[in-house]
């Protein structure tokens, strides 16, 4: 059910993103430029606003620029497919942006004395890195690891909604969203490890 919801949501976003992608390509903007711009935007939202407690502005900026993760991929597909350097740059910038978001959240929660929230943010940061690493390592070994309920866009949206609600006065929303995200991220790691295990097991029996 979760996968059906994800695919439906992504299909809806694709209908919005594709016209923008075509327009940028016609204007001579490269997918790599969009990747870097998106990362800079996330850094501004996370470090310039979120870390200082301006959660509404930070959440809106981060969420907006996080959606460029779909935009640069769509542009790459429309222009003939991602280059090897483009794929490398995209993955590297994703890790930079994720570190900034959860580092900023952890910093702000620490200034508020919310130790439980800090712990949740650090678990999210570590588990999110594992989600990406398991997939990359599987693909490096010739297998696939692109499964699970908490991919990058979903993770950023969950923390973004939590930050937005807390900024609007719903006090525990950010901490709750972080613990929810920590749980689904760890679950996703387990899903990907199990998926890779099944592939490796089948190969071993052939």
């Amino acid at each position: 059910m979760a996968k059906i919801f994800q695919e439906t949501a992504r299909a809806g976003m694709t209908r919005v993103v594709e016209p923008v992608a075509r327009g940028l390509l016609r204007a001579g903007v490269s997918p790599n430029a969009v990747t870097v711009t998106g990362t800079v935007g996330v850094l501004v939202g996370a470090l310039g606003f979120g870390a200082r407690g301006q959660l509404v502005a930070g959440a809106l900026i981060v969420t907006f620029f996080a959606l460029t993760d779909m935009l640069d991929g769509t542009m790459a597909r429309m222009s003939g497919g991602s280059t090897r350097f483009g794929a490398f740059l995209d993955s590297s910038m994703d890790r930079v942006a994720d570190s900034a978001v959860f580092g900023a959240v952890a910093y702000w929660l620490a200034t508020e004395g919310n130790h439980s929230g800090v712990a949740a943010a650090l678990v999210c940061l570590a588990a999110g890195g594992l989600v990406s690493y398991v997939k990359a390592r599987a693909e490096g070994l010739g297998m696939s690891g692109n499964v699970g309920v908490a991919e990058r866009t979903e993770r950023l949206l969950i923390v973004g909604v939590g930050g937005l609600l807390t900024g609007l006065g719903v006090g525990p929303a950010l901490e709750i969203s972080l613990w929810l995200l920590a749980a689904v991220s760890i679950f996703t790691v387990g899903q990907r490890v199990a998926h890779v295990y099944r592939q490796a097991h089948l190969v071993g029996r052939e």
Side-chain angles (χ1 to χ4, degrees):
M1 183 63 71
K3 197 67 175 177
I4 294 173
F5 176 78
Q6 285 178 300
E7 290 174 355
T8 301
R10 285 180 179 273
M13 285 301 302
T14 297
R15 286 193 290 272
V16 176
V17 166
E18 285 185 346
V20 178
R22 279 193 290 269
L24 289 172
L25 288 171
R26 282 196 296 268
V29 179
S30 71
N32 290 347
V34 172
T35 298
V36 174
T37 300
T39 301
V40 172
V42 170
L43 291 175
V44 169
L47 303 178
F49 291 89
R52 297 162 57 190
Q54 299 177 28
L55 300 183
V56 173
L60 291 175
I61 293 169
V62 167
T63 300
F64 174 79
F65 282 101
L67 294 177
T68 61
D69 196 46
M70 293 184 65
L71 181 59
D72 58 6
T74 302
M75 291 173 66
R77 175 173 55 79
M78 289 180 169
S79 60
S82 176
T83 64
R84 295 178 68 181
F85 176 75
F88 166 80
L89 180 67
D90 185 56
S91 295
S92 300
M93 292 297 99
D94 284 352
R95 304 291 79 72
V96 171
D98 291 355
S99 297
V101 169
F102 291 104
V105 168
Y107 174 82
W108 179 75
L109 289 168
T111 65
E112 296 291 303
N114 189 336
H115 303 299
S116 174
V118 172
L122 294 177
V123 172
C124 288
L125 179 58
L130 269 175
V131 168
S132 300
Y133 174 79
V134 169
K135 176 185 174 183
R137 185 59 177 150
E139 291 174 348
L141 294 171
M143 295 177 283
S144 69
N146 191 25
V147 299
V149 297
E151 297 186 13
R152 181 174 183 266
T153 301
E154 286 80 6
R155 296 198 303 272
L156 291 179
L157 287 176
I158 289 172
V159 72
V161 169
L164 180 62
L165 291 175
T166 293
L168 292 173
V170 184
L174 179 57
E175 183 179 353
I176 291 171
S177 71
L178 287 170
W179 280 117
L180 172 64
L181 179 56
V184 297
S185 296
I186 292 170
F187 182 70
T188 299
V189 172
Q191 285 182 299
R192 292 189 170 184
V193 169
H195 183 67
V196 173
Y197 173 80
R198 287 192 292 270
Q199 293 174 80
H201 187 63
L202 287 173
V203 170
R205 293 174 59 183
E206 290 178 352

